[in-house]
């Protein structure tokens, strides 16, 4: 019987202590949510902004690496497509958002 009363969060004698105990159980959850937002969501937004700036700074002649690991040289930049030269006279078109990095030679 005591185990059931403890699990329900109430005191054995009744009263208003149960409401305060429930509030105290929520505080750690709010704290964990704040940490989650700060470390995960904020960092992801920062990384997305950096990637967007990278995509806007691409120009013809840049050496890039795609998300799939393909290395190539940009020969043309269109609206949302990029043409890469991956070997002599071998060009492929990929979606601009799949460019992962610009190589610095």
């Amino acid at each position: 019987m005591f185990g059931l009363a403890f699990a329900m969060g109430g005191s054995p004698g009744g009263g208003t202590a149960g409401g305060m105990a429930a509030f105290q159980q929520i505080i750690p959850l709010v704290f964990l949510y704040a940490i989650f937002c700060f470390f995960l969501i904020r960092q992801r937004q920062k990384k997305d902004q950096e990637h967007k700036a990278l995509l806007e700074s691409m120009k013809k002649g840049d050496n890039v690496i795609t998300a799939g690991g393909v290395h190539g040289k940009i020969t043309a930049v269109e609206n949302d497509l990029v043409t890469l030269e991956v070997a002599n006279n071998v060009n492929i078109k990929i979606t601009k958002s799949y460019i992962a990095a610009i190589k610095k030679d």
Side-chain angles (χ1 to χ4, degrees):
M1 185 69 144
F2 179 71
L4 181 62
F6 181 73
M8 292 175 65
S11 61
T16 60
M20 190 59 151
F23 179 71
Q24 289 175 346
Q25 290 176 352
I26 292 175
I27 292 173
L29 293 175
V30 171
F31 183 68
L32 289 174
Y33 178 75
I35 290 173
F36 179 78
C37 286
F38 182 75
F39 285 113
L40 296 179
I41 295 172
R42 187 168 179 261
Q43 288 180 1
R44 185 66 206 171
Q45 288 175 346
K46 185 178 178 182
K47 190 176 252 187
D48 287 344
Q49 288 175 352
E50 290 173 359
H51 188 253
K52 185 176 179 181
L54 173 111
L55 295 179
E56 290 174 357
S57 70
M58 285 189 317
K59 60 188 179 299
K60 184 177 177 179
D62 286 343
N63 290 320
V64 296
I65 304 171
T66 67
V70 177
H71 294 241
K73 185 176 187 177
I74 297 177
T75 58
V77 178
E78 298 171 16
N79 292 335
D80 63 341
L81 289 177
V82 175
T83 304
L84 294 181
E85 182 178 11
V86 294
N88 290 334
N89 297 323
V90 178
N91 293 322
I92 60 172
K93 287 188 178 188
I94 63 166
T95 305
K96 189 185 251 188
S97 62
Y98 283 96
I99 300 293
I102 297 177
K103 291 194 302 187
K104 305 211 191 270
D105 291 330

